[in-house]
Structure formats: structure tokens, C-alpha cells
């Protein structure tokens, strides 16, 4: 059966220079000086202020819960601020920790402007310091009046480089590395937000790892074998080029003859599985994509990158996905890049909080970008070899989502939360459209069915994505847990309150000590109502608010199905020995849907050059990642690299 009702991608997916290799680059970041949580002490106070001297503890609410700090007061000044316990995201929150306390001490002020890209962390720090000021008997209103915003600059700065990139996420950083390694003498990256990383920084960090070593692969179980054989027998498989299907079958036969007991995988199978979602006419583009990602994996391997064991992820159950063993979510990729960058010394400059506002042109050719920094400075950045849009999609722009939606049952009053970090507003797509670019699949909007019910993010999920039980608010199973995200979201929208619970136990929760797989405190999630935990299923049902008998019967039926490996109720094929929900503690992670990925975007040619509606290329303008049609996710690093290296290898 077909596993998705998505429309097929047009045959514009690029050929990605699969033979290229990677090296590091030299990184200079403007606008971010570090993340030291302790600020310098003030040397003078304010005669208009009065405090009861001492050190006080204050609390504010960040993205993932309380942020605690200590503020020290003299009789007329705040003299020191020390950030304490918090769960704010590394890199995303760094600039707020560095700058907000420093401004408070320098100006003896509250009411400070929050920092774009880390607004929640900025607000949490200000709220916590305000709490301390009240405890010290200070005048909050007076301190709010003390703040003086910096005057905006009117300076216009002319910069020149070989290659300029809009966006410092996965695709943009991959492109910067590729260009520098291929010989660029200067690369400038203009980033709208306050940090490098984009969505890749806060996603699960998963990347397809087709050639993973045996020690990271799962066993090739009977259930996985049945799923593989079902994929090979799928009518869509018969539509791909016969010689390609024959390659998969030949590789499978060779794998069987080898005696290997770990997961069977190959690039052709990865391409086929993508075709089962997108349509067989895009097979060769999918194969190019698979080969590009494999080349990027090989670069990581060659440079000592540490991986986690492979798993399946929500909507993509074939367990060949891995993530960095360093840090949480996708942070490890950027930690790795930092290390590579420091070791090699290539010239890449990243300018944070400096969004691109327009294209620079000479005649019909794009020669760079205009960007306006947070301090008001306008930069004209001219690039001799091209300008790359790597600004992401538009899942963070409700107006654009509504404008292009033909798929989902929304109206103008439907809230549209997103899993995305700040900045994914479709800026690059808008700039390309102004230049007459062709776009496609703009209505193909992927929702994420495991979004947090309180803040829309996916980082608070507890439970193995494809090895758990999903129930609705009534405690009833309603779907095959391994289906694609479109189908899962469609089913979720039909459930009571559009909420599901991801049910796991000790074996499938992926809880490590006191923390989740994504590095979140289990106790804090419980305290905030973002997770339920119990030693019995009856207690768990009480916390979830559903009928005990209904829930118990659902779990019993699911366990029977999981043990047998046969699912007559919903047709699920992939189970593991850990799938039954049997061993306490039991967990219920409440989830809903949120905007996640926009699969539409600008159309490009095989060199990543942006095409006009008439099919001609826009000279000097390139695009990579989610800004393009059909491209997204951590693998955009590989695709961006191919673009950057391709520009300088041509």
C-alpha cells in the first residue's frame, strides 16, 4: 500500500556532486562574544535607587520551564548577576545570557529590549531579576525608566567576498564549509537570528546513516524483513526503473548470503523508500540525494564524528537514522563544525542578527545581498561567485501557511503553532519570487504529530518514536504508529481535542537517568504537565484523564499484537522485542500537531541555481535547503555542502 497521500515532487531535485569530500573552515562570528553566565560587577550605583543589600534568588519562565538566577545588590545598585539552573537551549540562549545581565548592570535598568531569536530566554532573565529587585525593596518602575535603547546606526558598509550566504542553519553552514574547502578565499554568512544552527540545532538531529557500522545497526528482525519485502512488492516499486529495483534485490540477496544479521540497507533502498512517499518519478533525484547524504556521512566518519545507535523516527520507521553522540538534539553537528573550523583556518565570517533584506543586482545578474544589522548598519555584500539563499521554509509564518494551504482543514482563526525556531518566515522564498523565480509544491505543508501541547516544540517528547503505543484522549489506539507524518496528523486532527498520548515503559521511554533522550529533566516535564509517569497503568490512566478499563484493554490488545508481530487492527509491520508496554515505570507523553516543514519552495537546476518560471536560471542566485522545493532537515547540511563546493568546483 502507499504510505502517504502527498503529491509527487517535480523532477527538479538536483544532482549533488556525490564524489565531493569535506574539510573545515575558519569561523569569525560578529555579534556573539560568548556565553559566560556571570557578568562583571558594576563600579558605581545610582543615587535614585535604593536596595536592601544582599544576594537574592529570582525565577523567570523560559521556553522549557523555570530559569533561576542570583542577583547581588549594594545599597544603590545591582552589582552582579549569576545564571543558575535552567533548561534553555545551548547556542540559542547564549547571547541572552551574555548581554541581558550586562545591560542590566551597566544601566541599572529593567524594561530592556529582548534579543531577537532568544526572546523567551531574555524575558526569563528580566523576570527573574525583577523578582530579585522586588525582594530587595527596589523600585521596579524606576528601573524600567532607566533603560536607554541604543541609537540605530545610519552607516552603510560595503563588503566583498567570493560567496555570500543568507542563513546559518544546516544548509547554509554546509554550503560555507563546501565553498571554503573548494577554494573560496572569503565566505560571508548573514544570519537573521542570534545563533548558528537554525532548526537543525533543536530538531532530533537525525540524519540518514545508510552505511552505519554494524555496532550501530539494529538487528534485522522478522518484522523488518516483512516490511522490506512489503516495500519491494509495493506497486510503486514496480514503477521505478527496473534496473534499479534489480539492484536492490541483488544487494539484498548478497546481504542474505553474507550471514549479516544487522539491518539491511543501501542507497537504492533509501531512494525507493522515499519514492513510496513522494512518487516513483523522482527516483533518480532521490538516489542522488541518498548518495549525497552518504558522502556527507563519510566525511563525518573520516573526521572522528561520534554517532548514537541507529533508530527509526516518527514518520520514517526504517531504523537507519542516527544523531550526534555529543550534546542534545542537533547541537553535536555544530560542535563538530566548531572543532573542524578551528583546526583548518578557512575564511568564513558569520554575521548574526543581520537579516538579508534584498538582492543586489547588476543588470539581470544577482551579485550579492543587502542586509541590515540589529544596530541599524546596512551592509552591501557583493560576492564574485554567487549568492546563496539558505533561509529555510515558512513554518513560522502563519500568514504564508494560510495563503498556500490547500491540504489542511484550517480557517483564519485556527492557531498554527510551529516546532521551528525563530526566523523561518519564508524570507528567501519572497526574495526569489520578487525576482520571478518559479516555486512548486507550496501547498505541501508537513505537520508534526508529536508536538508539545504547551509550546509546540518536539524536544519534550518522551518515548521511542516508532516503538511505542499511540492512544487518543479516550485511551484508545487509533493508528499504525509507523505511518508517515501526513497520515498521522490527519488522523490526529480527528481525535478528541486533537491530542494523542505517546505511551512507553522503561524499555521504550529512552529515559536516561533523570533526563529524556533530548536532554530534558523528567521531573520538570512532570511538574509542568508535559509528561505523566506511573508505576501502574491504572495510575497512568488517572493522570491522563481517561477511563482505566478502556486504557488497560487497549494496552493489553496492543501488547498481544506486538508480541505476535502481526497487527490485524491497523496493519503495523515493525515491532521489536521491546514494543510491548510491560515494565514500569510507564510514561504518557501528551502531544498534538504543529507546523513543521514546508516542502514547497523555489525550483533550482542541477547546480542549485534558482530558475525563473520560464526555466532560465537567475544568474548568480543559488538556493539550498528548505527554501527549495522538497528539501529540508539535517540532511540539508550535505545538500548545502554540495552546492557550495559545486560553485567553486565548476
Amino acid at each position: 500500500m502507499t504510505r502517504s497521500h502527498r503529491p509527487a515532487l517535480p523532477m527538479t531535485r538536483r544532482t549533488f556532486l556525490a564524489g565531493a569530500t569535506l574539510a573545515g573552515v575558519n569561523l569569525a562570528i560578529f555579534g556573539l562574544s560568548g556565553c559566560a553566565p556571570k557578568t562583571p560587577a558594576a563600579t558605581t550605583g545610582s543615587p535614585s535607587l535604593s536596595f536592601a543589600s544582599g544576594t537574592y534568588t529570582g525565577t523567570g519562565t523560559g521556553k522549557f520551564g523555570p530559569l533561576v538566577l542570583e542577583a547581588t545588590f549594594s545599597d544603590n545598585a545591582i552589582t552582579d548577576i549569576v545564571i543558575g539552573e535552567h533548561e534553555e537551549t545551548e547556542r540559542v540562549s547564549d547571547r541572552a545570557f551574555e548581554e541581558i545581565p550586562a545591560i542590566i548592570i551597566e544601566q541599572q535598568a529593567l524594561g530592556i529590549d529582548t534579543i531577537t531569536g532568544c526572546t523567551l530566554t531574555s524575558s526569563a532573565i528580566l523576570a527573574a531579576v525583577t523578582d530579585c529587585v522586588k525582594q530587595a525593596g527596589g523600585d521596579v518602575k524606576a528601573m524600567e525608566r532607566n533603560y536607554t535603547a541604543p541609537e540605530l546606526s545610519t552607516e552603510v558598509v560595503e563588503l566583498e567576498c567570493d560567496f555570500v550566504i543568507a542563513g546559518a542553519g544546516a544548509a547554509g553552514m554546509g554550503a560555507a564549509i563546501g565553498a571554503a574547502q573548494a577554494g573560496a578565499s572569503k565566505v560571508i554568512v548573514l544570519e537573521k537570528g542570534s545563533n548558528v544552527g537554525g532548526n537543525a540545532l533543536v530538531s532530533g538531529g537525525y540524519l540518514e546513516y545508510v552505511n552505519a557500522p554494524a555496532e550501530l545497526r539494529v538487528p534485522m528482525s522478522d518484522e523488518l524483513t516483512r516490511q522490506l519485502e512489503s516495500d519491494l512488492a509495493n506497486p510503486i516499486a514496480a514503477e521505478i526503473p527496473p534496473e534499479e529495483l534489480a539492484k536492490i534485490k541483488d544487494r539484498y540477496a548478497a546481504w542474505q548470503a553474507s550471514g549479516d544479521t544487522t539491518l539491511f540497507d543501501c542507497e537504492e533502498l533509501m531512494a525507493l523508500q522515499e519514492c513510496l512517499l513522494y512518487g516513483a518519478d523522482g527516483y533518480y533525484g532521490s538516489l542522488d540525494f541518498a548518495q549525497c547524504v552518504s558522502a556527507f556521512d563519510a566525511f563525518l566518519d573520516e573526521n572522528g564524528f561520534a554517532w548514537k545507535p541507529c533508530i527509526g523516527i516518527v514518520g520514517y520507521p526504517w531504523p537507519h537514522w542516527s544523531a550526534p553522540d555529543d550534546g542534545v538534539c542537533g547541537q553535536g553537528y555544530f560542535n563538530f563544525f566548531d572543532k573542524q573550523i578551528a583546526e583548518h583556518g578557512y575564511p568564513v565570517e558569520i554575521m548574526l542578527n543581520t537579516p538579508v533584506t534584498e538582492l543586489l543586482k547588476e543588470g539581470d545578474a544577482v551579485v550579492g545581498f543587502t542586509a541590515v544589522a540589529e544596530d541599524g548598519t546596512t551592509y552591501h555584500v557583493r560576492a564574485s561567485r554567487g549568492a546563496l539563499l539558505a533561509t529555510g521554509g515558512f513554518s513560522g509564518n502563519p500568514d504564508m501557511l494560510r495563503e498556500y494551504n490547500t491540504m489542511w482543514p484550517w480557517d483564519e482563526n485556527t492557531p498554527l503553532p510551529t516546532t521551528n525556531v525563530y526566523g523561518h518566515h519564508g524570507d528567501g522564498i519572497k526574495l526569489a519570487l520578487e525576482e520571478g523565480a518559479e516555486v512548486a509544491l507550496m501547498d505541501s505543508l508537513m505537520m508534526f504529530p508529536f508536538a508539545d501541547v504547551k509550546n509546540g516544540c518536539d524536544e519534550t517528547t518522551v518515548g521511542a518514536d516508532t516503538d511505542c503505543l499511540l492512544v487518543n484522549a479516550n485511551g484508545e489506539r487509533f493508528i499504525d504508529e509507523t505511518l508517515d507524518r501526513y497520515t498521522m496528523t490527519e488522523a490526529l486532527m480527528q481525535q478528541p481535542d486533537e491530542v494523542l498520548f505517546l505511551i512507553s515503559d522503561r524499555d521504550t521511554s529512552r529515559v536516561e537517568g533523570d533526563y529524556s533522550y533530548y536532554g530534558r529533566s523528567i521531573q520538570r516535564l512532570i511538574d509542568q504537565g508535559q509528561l505523566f509517569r506511573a508505576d501502574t497503568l491504572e495510575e497512568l490512566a488517572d493522570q491522563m484523564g481517561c477511563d482505566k478499563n478502556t486504557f488497560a484493554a487497549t494496552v493489553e490488545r496492543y501488547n498481544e499484537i506486538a508480541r505476535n508481530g502481526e497487527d490485524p487492527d491497523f496493519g503495523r509491520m515493525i515491532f521489536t522485542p521491546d514494543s510491548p508496554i510491560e515494565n514500569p515505570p510507564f510514561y504518557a507523553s501528551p502531544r498534538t500537531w504543529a507546523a513543521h516543514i514546508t516542502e514547497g519552495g523555489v525550483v533550482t537546476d542541477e547546480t542549485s541555481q534558482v530558475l525563473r518560471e520560464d526555466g532560465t536560471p537567475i544568474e548568480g542566485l543559488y538556493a539550498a535547503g528548505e527554501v527549495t522545493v522538497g528539501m529540508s532537515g539535517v540532511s540539508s547540511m550535505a545538500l548545502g555542502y554540495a552546492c557550495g563546493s559545486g560553485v567553486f568546483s565548476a
Side-chain angles (χ1 to χ4, degrees):
M1 64 178 180
T2 301
R3 297 175 62 85
S4 174
H5 59 269
R6 280 181 278 183
L9 290 175
M11 297 184 67
T12 54
R13 185 167 281 204
R14 305 182 273 295
T15 300
F16 286 110
L17 304 176
T21 58
L22 299 176
V25 295
N26 181 45
L27 179 64
I29 297 182
F30 297 92
L32 179 62
S33 57
C35 55
K38 185 174 180 179
T39 63
T43 56
T44 61
S46 170
S48 64
L49 298 177
S50 176
F51 305 103
S53 62
T55 298
Y56 300 87
T57 300
T59 303
T61 301
K63 182 174 182 179
F64 295 104
L67 179 151
V68 180
L69 57 75
E70 289 185 345
T72 300
F73 296 78
S74 68
D75 59 0
N76 67 347
I78 300 176
T79 61
D80 198 18
I81 297 171
V82 178
I83 305 294
E85 182 182 359
H86 67 86
E87 285 195 45
E88 300 305 281
T89 303
E90 184 180 339
R91 292 179 181 261
V92 174
S93 60
D94 288 354
R95 188 175 166 215
F97 287 146
E98 174 71 15
E99 295 187 13
I100 297 296
I103 296 171
I104 291 172
I105 289 175
E106 179 186 358
Q107 297 195 24
Q108 294 298 302
L110 299 172
I112 294 168
D113 294 336
T114 57
I115 295 172
T116 301
C118 48
T119 301
L120 294 177
T121 305
S122 302
S123 297
I125 295 169
L126 288 166
V129 174
T130 299
D131 183 8
C132 292
V133 170
K134 291 177 180 177
Q135 294 177 55
D139 187 337
V140 172
K141 295 295 184 184
M143 293 191 69
E144 288 176 345
R145 291 192 295 270
N146 277 357
Y147 175 61
T148 301
E151 292 186 9
L152 293 179
S153 170
T154 59
E155 184 179 10
V156 177
V157 177
E158 305 289 334
L159 298 176
E160 294 186 356
C161 61
D162 291 343
F163 197 42
V164 61
I165 300 167
M173 290 306 299
I177 292 169
Q181 188 236 340
S185 60
K186 185 176 183 179
V187 177
I188 293 177
V189 183
L190 303 166
E191 168 55 42
K192 180 179 182 178
S194 61
N195 61 278
V196 169
N199 280 332
L201 192 65
V202 299
S203 70
Y206 300 116
L207 184 63
E208 298 98 329
Y209 196 12
V210 168
N211 297 310
E215 61 268 22
L216 296 181
R217 292 174 179 258
V218 302
M220 187 65 178
S221 64
D222 292 342
E223 291 82 5
L224 288 168
T225 299
R226 188 166 62 248
Q227 179 66 63
L228 172 62
E229 292 174 352
S230 174
D231 288 347
L232 293 174
N234 190 301
I236 292 177
E239 297 176 14
I240 72 170
E243 63 274 17
E244 295 298 319
L245 185 60
K247 284 182 185 178
I248 301 171
K249 292 180 177 179
D250 288 346
R251 295 188 196 283
Y252 182 40
W255 173 87
Q256 290 174 309
S258 73
D260 190 351
T261 60
T262 63
L263 183 77
F264 169 72
D265 213 358
C266 63
E267 292 162 357
E268 291 83 4
L269 176 61
M270 179 176 160
L272 169 61
Q273 289 174 334
E274 185 164 300
C275 288
L276 299 183
L277 297 174
Y278 288 101
D281 60 348
Y283 175 80
Y284 284 116
S286 296
L287 182 60
D288 289 339
F289 168 68
Q291 291 170 342
C292 179
V293 172
S294 290
F296 189 75
D297 292 341
F299 156 69
L300 296 175
D301 289 338
E302 290 163 5
N303 287 276
F305 189 80
W307 300 90
K308 289 183 177 179
C310 294
I311 60 174
I313 64 172
V314 56
Y316 301 93
W318 198 250
H320 64 190
W321 299 82
S322 187
D325 197 40
D326 173 31
V328 297
C329 298
Q331 292 171 0
Y333 294 112
F334 300 96
N335 295 341
F336 173 81
F337 288 152
D338 287 347
K339 181 180 177 181
Q340 291 293 303
I341 285 160
E343 290 177 353
H344 290 277
Y346 285 117
V348 172
E349 298 176 0
I350 299 179
M351 302 173 65
L352 301 177
N353 294 104
T354 309
V356 170
T357 57
E358 60 183 298
L359 306 178
L360 282 179
K361 295 185 62 182
E362 291 182 0
D364 291 334
V366 174
V367 296
F369 295 130
T370 295
V372 180
E374 185 180 44
D375 68 358
T377 303
T378 297
Y379 293 92
H380 294 153
V381 186
R382 286 179 166 79
S384 61
R385 298 293 292 272
L388 173 70
L389 295 171
T391 53
F394 54 94
S395 287
N397 187 332
D399 290 338
M400 280 188 74
L401 290 174
R402 292 187 176 95
E403 176 185 355
Y404 288 106
N405 175 52
T406 62
M407 182 176 294
W408 302 106
W410 303 332
D411 59 35
E412 65 276 8
N413 298 315
T414 303
L416 296 178
T418 181
T419 63
N420 287 195
V421 296
Y422 167 80
H424 291 74
H425 302 145
D427 299 340
I429 295 174
K430 294 175 187 176
L431 288 172
L433 283 171
E434 290 174 3
E435 202 54 34
E438 180 184 2
V439 296
L441 292 186
M442 293 293 285
D443 62 343
S444 186
L445 312 174
M446 179 191 289
M447 301 297 106
F448 191 73
F450 284 5
D452 189 284
V453 294
K454 292 183 178 292
N455 62 20
C457 78
D458 61 351
E459 299 163 74
T460 58
T461 305
V462 171
D465 293 355
T466 60
D467 204 15
C468 288
L469 163 66
L470 300 184
V471 302
N472 62 20
N474 296 330
E476 301 163 330
R477 187 174 181 227
F478 63 95
I479 198 170
D480 169 0
E481 292 83 357
T482 66
L483 291 179
D484 64 90
R485 295 174 181 180
Y486 283 76
T487 305
M488 292 177 73
T489 301
E490 187 176 51
L492 173 56
M493 288 179 171
Q494 298 170 7
Q495 303 310 306
D497 300 323
E498 300 186 11
V499 169
L500 64 78
F501 292 92
L502 184 70
I503 308 298
S504 62
D505 67 357
R506 182 188 65 205
D507 301 324
T508 54
S509 65
R510 298 199 293 183
V511 171
E512 302 172 4
D514 296 328
Y515 293 89
S516 73
Y517 182 85
Y518 299 110
R520 300 295 158 203
S521 164
I522 293 298
Q523 190 58 54
R524 183 167 287 181
L525 291 175
I526 292 170
D527 293 344
Q528 295 170 173
Q530 293 165 291
L531 179 67
F532 303 111
R533 179 179 62 191
D535 290 328
T536 69
L537 294 174
E538 290 76 16
E539 292 173 14
L540 193 65
D542 275 344
Q543 295 177 32
M544 294 161 57
C546 64
D547 180 76
K548 296 179 185 179
N549 294 330
T550 299
F551 181 60
T554 297
V555 175
E556 182 179 1
R557 172 62 175 166
Y558 169 79
N559 286 348
E560 177 186 0
I561 289 170
R563 291 189 198 101
N564 293 333
E566 298 281 353
D567 184 7
D569 295 349
F570 295 99
R572 174 171 159 180
M573 292 187 180
I574 298 178
F575 295 94
T576 74
D578 291 333
S579 295
I581 309 297
E582 300 176 307
N583 299 311
F586 303 108
Y587 298 88
S589 183
R591 317 308 293 171
T592 188
W593 60 269
H596 188 54
I597 289 172
T598 49
E599 296 193 302
V602 300
V603 177
T604 60
D605 65 13
E606 67 278 1
T607 68
S608 298
Q609 205 162 5
V610 177
L611 298 178
R612 296 184 178 88
E613 291 185 349
D614 63 5
T616 60
I618 300 174
E619 183 181 351
L621 185 63
Y622 299 84
E626 195 174 336
V627 72
T628 66
V629 59
M631 297 300 174
S632 62
V634 173
S635 57
S636 292
M637 285 188 287
L639 309 176
Y641 166 73
C643 171
S645 60
V647 168
F648 287 86
S649 299

